[in-house]
Amino acid sequence: MNSPTIYKIKGMHCASCSVIIENTLKKVDGVQSVEVNFGTENTKIIFDENKTNLEDFNKKLETLGYSLAVKDNHSNILQNDKMLGMSAEEMGMSEDEHRAHLGISQSKQEKLIEIKDMKKKVITAIPLAVISIFTMGWEIFSRYNIVPEMGSGMEKFLLYALPIMATYILFIVGKSYLIGFYRFLRYGKANMDTLIGIGTSVAYVYSMIIVIFAKSLTSFVNVEQTYFDVTIIVITFIALGKYLEARSKLKTGDAIEKLLNLQAKTALIIRGGKEVEISVGQVVRGDLIIIKPGAKIPVDGILTEGHSYVDESMITGEPMPVSKEASDTVVAGTINTSGSFTFKATKVGSETMLAHIIKMVEEAQGSKAPIQALADKISGVFVPIVLVISFVTLVLWIVIGTQYFGFSQALSFGLVSFVGVLVIACPCALGLATPTAIIVGVGKGAREGILVKDAATLEKLHKVNVVVVDKTGTLTKGKPELIDIKILSDLEEQEFISILASLENKSEHPIASAILDFAKVEALQVLTVENFISIKGRGLKGIIGNTEYFIGSIGLIKDLKLSFDTAQLSEFTLEGKTPVVLMTKEKVLGFVTVADAVKPEAIEAVKNLHKLGIKIVMLTGDNKNTANYIAKQIGLTTQAGIDEVVAEVLPEDKLKKIKELQAQGLIVAMAGDGVNDAPALAQADVGIAMATGTDVAIESSGITLLHGDISKLVKAIKLSKITMRGIKQNLFWAFIYNIVGIPLAAGIFYPIFGWLLSPVFAGFAMAMSSVSVVSNSLRIKGKRL
């Protein structure tokens, strides 16, 4: 199976263009599938490289006015310096020039040049449109005696000026629309440019014929009625709308650019015992990198020396800097706030988490949501249907209208309606409704530490009514912590823990790390231990000072034949805690309990999921006591906690439970972090992985929550609901606009209400429809999750 290749599309101006490109490429021999995204202006093609290539695609498309270019792979850009082996300084370039040389933001630069050209045309067209509007307004107001009739000198001036102005507007500003008309005549492919081109050309040609042959046509038509102003104003409005739309669309995809800007440009490394500053692209795995206060971390790695606080907000969305010390991991793009440290590079270039995030965001923004399918189908037949409606409208006005208004007036109404229908009908608003909202939604998610794999996942998530969560690592921290301290002797707490930690320091048991971590946080002294012995299956012993101490469980207490009421330990074991008892040969000195603690944010997250009307099911391989205790801590009530607890399950049982819930007609999301969660994550309607978990879990999921923060699950669902609400609003207005606009422009309401829409207003409405859709999508950025 060939892997998909993403290309940038040039020359695509509307949703119908995307359909034309898609249908054309599908006919190329060797192409297996094509997916064109109007919002991102990209196409994803799966094809047999032995049968076809980019050159073949462009041969088919260039005659229609389109072309494909290899798209910047931003995740690979992060290591391009390495391929070139030269820094900006070595190449004698500024950093901006160097980035341009490597292809970073190349597509954006091209877009900015295109927008600059559009702006120039709009600036030259607006004064001419203002003159035309002034002239049109004067004529209308003079009919109602609001203003005096225009003087003959002014009329004569406009008689010559308007054709010249219209010629400039049509052939210079509206050149792309004329080309669209020409390609329709030659190749039979119609898009939005075709509609505008036909409408404005007909208005222009008809008006020019009237001006040139006025005397000959006086007895047939009203020679005082020309439509140069329609050509001028309609093209100006549409050009202005396209300019505003292009500017707004550029803002929808700024998440990628912001992520790219997180990348450090240089790294301070130790080579040959010396500190050397090199380009980040020259960093290799195993390099020791020095990070000073305020510096960006250039690649992923593990701390080897030092201590500091790192601001990871740009990657995880967490506002508080995170403490880092030896053996902790750091990721590229984060910022060191205070202190200096050295770390060993483990992932560089496209391997880093930042590159992975950029790749996921790009792929998700370029994917299509199922809700877009209807809009795509309509866009595919929209232009031909509108062409038919416009010509039928013209014919009906002339045939039927002549009986009531006479030929001259009927022709005038017919032309106005013909041009109005062509101008007002635009598939762009429909085509932009879904992709622009997806682009903004996915980008906002990335900034909040929520990575969405594709648009379909984002759409499904808003329908979820059951969330199944794995316990370990999802609701709990996934590692043992010291929970309770119970002293049964005259020892002080600090001395008691110090003895425990000193003995556990020699142990390899997983529980030992919980006690040692607690002692470290409390800055307690680790004492010297002599004659340390591990008692297999029971615990350990050692001498501190002149006293022999024992650490173990109930079994060791019995072996030492100590008098102790073990019932108080049973109370803790029922809660899923593991007691660790400190004793001498004579008596029990006290005990601590160790357990996998609930994440602080888990309680609030579960509560907020309930507020969204979502049922929560906890699945775990742990015993029932532990599972029920964790559920109790979170709040075992249908109002605020876990609704159902399923304990002692195997991976296949988790899968079975997901299927069981789906069989009840429920939409299920599964949140987990381990290899044993992968089958259930894949089966769930939406799989949600914790980024602190395994790669298998992340690959099996549609959404990844960075930092393993369960509270982000609530944000992800809210983001999905906000995005889908935006898409539905966009589609509603796009459909309503066309459903109402086309009949109004065709003159259907004229016999009843006397309403006939001027092509000028049709042009303005058409231009603003796309702008309003993009602007509505941009509102998602400002929504609070």
Side-chain angles (χ1 to χ4, degrees):
M1 183 73 183
N2 295 301
S3 58
T5 305
I6 298 175
Y7 296 107
K8 194 74 186 169
I9 304 170
K10 297 180 181 179
M12 183 165 66
H13 301 125
C14 70
S16 293
C17 294
S18 66
V19 176
I20 291 169
I21 293 166
E22 209 164 272
N23 291 338
T24 303
L25 291 174
K26 279 177 180 175
K27 293 174 185 175
V28 177
D29 184 38
V31 171
Q32 292 159 11
S33 76
V34 183
E35 193 176 279
V36 176
N37 189 306
F38 175 44
T40 58
E41 296 180 12
N42 294 333
T43 180
K44 184 162 69 176
I45 309 172
I46 299 175
F47 62 96
D48 185 343
E49 292 178 7
N50 297 319
K51 291 184 178 180
T52 189
N53 53 37
L54 177 61
E55 193 178 337
D56 292 338
F57 301 152
N58 279 331
K59 278 180 185 175
K60 293 285 185 182
L61 293 174
E62 279 169 0
T63 54
L64 304 175
Y66 313 110
S67 65
L68 303 182
V70 177
K71 187 179 180 297
D72 300 336
N73 187 338
H74 291 123
S75 59
N76 287 338
I77 279 168
L78 300 181
Q79 63 173 4
N80 272 353
D81 272 329
K82 186 190 296 181
M83 293 187 290
L84 293 170
M86 297 181 74
S87 66
E89 189 178 344
E90 289 169 327
M91 295 181 76
M93 297 179 179
S94 68
E95 287 295 345
D96 288 340
E97 288 170 334
H98 193 230
R99 286 170 71 81
H101 176 74
L102 297 179
I104 298 176
S105 300
Q106 191 176 337
S107 56
K108 184 180 178 182
Q109 291 302 323
E110 289 173 356
K111 202 72 190 168
L112 286 170
I113 291 167
E114 187 182 330
I115 289 171
K116 192 176 179 182
D117 182 56
M118 291 167 79
K119 185 179 178 180
K120 282 180 184 175
K121 288 179 177 177
V122 168
I123 287 170
T124 59
I126 285 175
L128 304 184
V130 169
I131 293 169
S132 299
I133 292 168
F134 174 78
T135 305
M136 187 186 295
W138 192 301
E139 286 178 359
I140 293 168
F141 290 136
S142 64
R143 287 179 203 161
Y144 299 98
N145 298 317
I146 297 171
V147 296
E149 286 191 7
M150 195 177 289
S152 58
M154 179 62 79
E155 281 187 352
K156 196 169 184 180
F157 168 74
L158 290 172
L159 182 66
Y160 295 105
L162 284 174
I164 295 169
M165 288 158 56
T167 302
Y168 168 78
I169 292 289
L170 181 63
F171 290 93
I172 305 298
V173 180
K175 183 181 175 183
S176 61
Y177 308 128
L178 287 177
I179 292 170
F181 188 7
Y182 163 74
R183 288 194 174 116
F184 169 64
L185 294 174
R186 183 167 180 183
Y187 304 108
K189 303 286 185 183
N191 59 15
M192 183 210 77
D193 290 353
T194 309
L195 299 181
I196 307 303
I198 293 173
T200 52
S201 297
V202 166
Y204 175 82
V205 170
Y206 173 82
S207 302
M208 197 60 84
I209 290 170
I210 292 292
V211 169
I212 296 169
F213 303 104
K215 289 182 181 178
S216 306
L217 297 171
T218 302
S219 55
F220 301 103
V221 295
N222 181 6
V223 294
E224 291 182 6
Q225 182 68 57
T226 60
Y227 298 100
F228 291 120
D229 50 1
V230 168
T231 301
I232 295 166
I233 298 168
V234 164
I235 290 178
T236 301
F237 276 155
I238 291 168
L240 175 62
K242 281 290 167 191
Y243 165 67
L244 295 174
E245 177 194 320
R247 277 184 54 187
S248 298
K249 272 177 75 179
L250 205 60
K251 291 177 187 174
T252 62
D254 63 3
I256 294 287
E257 187 180 1
K258 285 180 180 175
L259 287 168
L260 278 169
N261 289 336
L262 296 178
Q263 177 64 41
K265 295 180 176 70
T266 60
L268 186 63
I269 68 164
I270 300 172
R271 280 191 183 167
K274 294 180 181 179
E275 291 184 12
V276 184
E277 188 170 10
I278 62 169
S279 166
V280 68
Q282 293 176 292
V283 177
V284 295
R285 281 191 296 275
D287 273 342
L288 289 175
I289 301 167
I290 298 167
I291 300 295
K292 295 182 178 179
K296 278 185 181 177
I297 293 165
V299 294
D300 294 2
I302 299 173
L303 258 75
T304 57
E305 186 184 327
H307 173 266
S308 186
Y309 285 87
V310 175
D311 180 2
E312 297 183 336
S313 60
M314 59 289 295
I315 298 290
T316 65
E318 296 297 322
M320 293 296 291
V322 180
S323 174
K324 299 289 180 181
E325 53 190 42
S327 79
D328 285 341
T329 57
V330 288
V331 296
T334 56
I335 299 170
N336 180 31
T337 59
S338 61
S340 297
F341 61 86
T342 304
F343 77 95
K344 183 181 179 181
T346 56
K347 292 180 180 179
V348 298
S350 60
E351 303 166 341
T352 65
M353 182 185 281
L354 179 60
H356 179 68
I357 291 170
I358 289 168
K359 186 181 178 186
M360 275 192 78
V361 172
E362 277 189 315
E363 287 178 354
Q365 288 185 337
S367 63
K368 285 187 178 183
I371 197 171
Q372 193 176 335
L374 177 61
D376 284 348
K377 283 179 184 175
I378 292 170
S379 296
V381 297
F382 189 87
V383 172
I385 288 172
V386 168
L387 281 170
V388 170
I389 290 171
S390 63
F391 281 104
V392 169
T393 299
L394 178 60
V395 170
L396 288 175
W397 268 112
I398 292 172
V399 173
I400 299 172
T402 302
Q403 300 173 33
Y404 298 96
F405 309 107
F407 176 75
S408 178
Q409 189 64 36
L411 178 62
S412 177
F413 284 160
L415 280 171
V416 166
S417 298
F418 173 77
V419 175
V421 168
L422 289 173
V423 168
I424 201 167
C426 176
C428 291
L430 275 174
L432 289 168
T434 302
T436 52
I438 293 292
I439 290 166
V440 177
V442 168
K444 184 174 178 65
R447 286 192 292 275
E448 295 281 351
I450 302 160
L451 300 185
V452 182
K453 189 176 262 184
D454 53 45
T457 300
L458 193 63
E459 180 179 335
K460 273 186 209 165
L461 190 58
H462 91 286
K463 298 176 183 175
V464 164
N465 41 34
V466 177
V467 171
V468 176
V469 288
D470 175 52
K471 177 186 74 68
T472 307
T474 305
L475 292 174
T476 64
K477 293 179 181 178
K479 65 174 188 174
E481 281 189 3
L482 194 149
I483 307 295
D484 304 295
I485 302 170
K486 189 85 171 175
I487 299 170
L488 305 170
S489 62
D490 56 1
L491 288 172
E492 293 291 330
E493 185 178 297
Q494 287 190 338
E495 187 184 358
F496 176 78
I497 298 296
S498 185
I499 294 167
L500 264 178
S502 302
L503 289 162
E504 292 287 9
N505 194 35
K506 300 276 187 179
S507 171
E508 294 178 358
H509 197 283
I511 284 175
S513 62
I515 296 168
L516 289 167
D517 286 346
F518 183 83
K520 196 173 185 181
V521 170
E522 296 294 318
L524 299 177
Q525 185 183 0
V526 176
L527 306 168
T528 304
V529 179
E530 295 175 346
N531 299 335
F532 176 85
I533 297 172
S534 177
I535 306 166
K536 191 174 181 182
R538 284 288 186 261
L540 52 87
K541 68 176 181 176
I543 298 171
I544 297 173
N546 296 318
T547 308
E548 185 175 36
Y549 293 100
F550 295 81
I551 292 178
S553 58
I554 294 173
L556 188 56
I557 295 172
K558 289 177 180 176
D559 289 349
L560 293 171
K561 296 177 181 170
L562 299 176
S563 175
F564 182 72
D565 181 10
T566 56
Q568 56 186 309
L569 294 180
S570 302
E571 179 189 325
F572 290 103
T573 55
L574 286 172
E575 294 175 350
K577 298 175 184 177
T578 303
V580 179
V581 185
L582 177 66
M583 60 202 103
T584 61
K585 283 182 179 178
E586 292 79 29
K587 62 178 180 178
V588 172
L589 302 174
F591 62 88
V592 296
T593 65
V594 173
D596 185 7
V598 171
K599 290 180 179 179
E601 65 271 18
I603 297 169
E604 194 64 26
V606 169
K607 186 179 174 182
N608 287 330
L609 284 170
H610 273 292
K611 284 181 182 176
L612 292 171
I614 294 169
K615 178 183 175 184
I616 300 110
V617 177
M618 184 175 82
L619 294 182
T620 178
D622 269 355
N623 63 65
K624 289 180 182 178
N625 290 336
T626 303
N628 287 328
Y629 174 69
I630 293 296
K632 189 178 176 183
Q633 277 189 295
I634 292 170
L636 190 53
T637 67
T638 52
Q639 285 77 35
I642 308 294
D643 295 283
E644 186 181 349
V645 178
V646 185
E648 299 173 10
V649 293
L650 298 170
E652 53 266 34
D653 297 324
K654 291 183 180 182
L655 183 66
K656 213 175 284 179
K657 184 63 182 179
I658 299 290
K659 288 180 177 178
E660 181 189 310
L661 291 166
Q662 288 172 328
Q664 295 170 25
L666 298 168
I667 310 296
V668 183
M670 165 78 187
D673 74 330
V675 172
N676 63 337
D677 297 321
L681 286 168
Q683 175 62 36
D685 296 288
V686 179
I688 300 163
M690 304 287 133
T692 51
T694 66
D695 290 340
V696 177
I698 291 168
E699 283 301 313
S700 302
S701 65
I703 288 176
T704 302
L705 305 181
L706 296 180
H707 216 57
D709 186 350
I710 188 69
S711 67
K712 286 188 171 72
L713 173 55
V714 180
K715 288 186 175 183
I717 293 171
K718 285 182 179 177
L719 176 68
S720 174
K721 288 180 183 292
I722 289 166
T723 304
M724 290 310 299
R725 196 181 305 128
I727 289 171
K728 287 171 183 175
Q729 287 167 352
N730 288 346
L731 288 172
F732 172 79
W733 289 113
F735 277 118
I736 288 295
Y737 160 79
N738 282 294
I739 289 166
V740 173
I742 293 173
L744 184 62
I748 285 177
F749 301 112
Y750 187 82
I752 307 165
F753 305 108
W755 296 347
L756 190 63
L757 188 68
S758 166
V760 169
F761 294 108
F764 178 77
M766 178 272 201
M768 289 304 106
S769 66
S770 298
V771 176
S772 63
V773 163
V774 177
S775 300
N776 190 50
S777 295
L778 284 170
R779 285 174 60 239
I780 295 168
K781 275 187 182 182
K783 295 285 185 181
R784 191 176 174 185
L785 297 181

